[in-house]
Every structure is written in C-alpha cells, then in structure tokens.
Amino acid sequence: QVQLVESGGGSVQSGGFLRLSCAASGYSWDTYCLAWVRQAPGKEREGVATFESHGETNYAASVRGRFTISHDNAKNTLYLQMNDLKPEDTAMYYCAAALPAHYSGRYYLRSLDYNYWGQGTQVTVSS
C-alpha cells in the first residue's frame, strides 16, 4: 500500500524559509512522478513542483527561483526547500505521486492527475 506522509510545515514571516518532507513507501515502480501541490483557502489546488524518476524537475512560475524540489533515493523521501517565502505562499501543501508515471512532469504539474496523495501540511507566511 502506497503511503505519502508530509512533514515540515509551520508559520514563518515573509522572507523566511521552510523545508517540507514527504516520506514515501509501499511502491516499487521504476517510472514515477512525485510532486508538491498546494491549496490556499478558497482557491483551487495548484501544482507547485514535480520530480520525475529520471531526475527532471518542473516548477510553477510563481515559485521558480525560490523553491527547490529534490528526492533522496536512499531514504525514499521527497523534499521542497522553500526560500524567500511570501504571504501568497500560505496554503496547505500536499505531496502527490503518479505511480507509475505515464506522462511528463509538465503534464502532471498542470493536470494534477496523481493517483496518490498525502494528508497535507500547513504553511503560513505572515507579512
């Protein structure tokens, strides 16, 4: 059974940083797309970043240059380093996965067509 468990959320001031983690377990596919998705109150879910099994990454324009997605194969853990946080980054952040992945990371970033989701971790940025 696939499980995605997020951690690392919290409250920071504008300009601060946080690192989110997503511990993944229960799968063995060679091709996958892991991702971070966020949802702010009253808004639709938004793709933040993707990490494909061959190492390619993709980012939403709103976070490019500030956020970095990475994956530790040994620990099977996905990370999101978030720097220069802004109040508009406030949201529930979800780890998501397409297992196996049939399409590109760009497709998943736009479509959010993931078959596994974590429970989410809250990030709050105050001005």
Side-chain angles (χ1 to χ4, degrees):
Q1 183 178 357
V2 176
Q3 286 193 321
L4 304 173
V5 180
E6 303 97 333
S7 61
S11 298
V12 296
Q13 290 190 329
S14 183
F17 62 91
L18 284 172
R19 189 176 82 155
L20 306 183
S21 300
C22 172
S25 62
Y27 70 92
S28 60
W29 288 276
D30 292 332
T31 58
Y32 54 81
C33 181
L34 305 177
W36 290 99
V37 177
R38 67 187 181 186
Q39 186 168 23
K43 295 187 177 182
E44 294 185 351
R45 285 187 176 183
E46 172 193 21
V48 175
T50 63
F51 184 97
E52 295 176 76
S53 49
H54 57 273
E56 183 172 338
T57 58
N58 287 279
Y59 296 91
S62 58
V63 306
R64 193 174 295 122
R66 299 188 297 123
F67 290 11
T68 302
I69 190 171
S70 62
H71 182 246
D72 185 325
N73 280 326
K75 297 181 179 180
N76 212 4
T77 299
L78 183 73
Y79 300 100
L80 185 69
Q81 178 67 43
M82 305 186 294
N83 298 330
D84 189 24
L85 282 161
K86 305 174 186 295
E88 51 264 41
D89 295 318
T90 294
M92 184 71 78
Y93 283 71
Y94 297 92
C95 178
L99 296 166
H102 299 295
Y103 307 105
S104 70
R106 291 182 182 179
Y107 165 82
Y108 288 112
L109 188 68
R110 295 192 310 270
S111 69
L112 307 186
D113 188 16
Y114 303 106
N115 48 355
Y116 297 99
W117 293 81
Q119 81 288 351
T121 186
Q122 178 67 37
V123 171
T124 302
V125 184
S126 57
S127 57

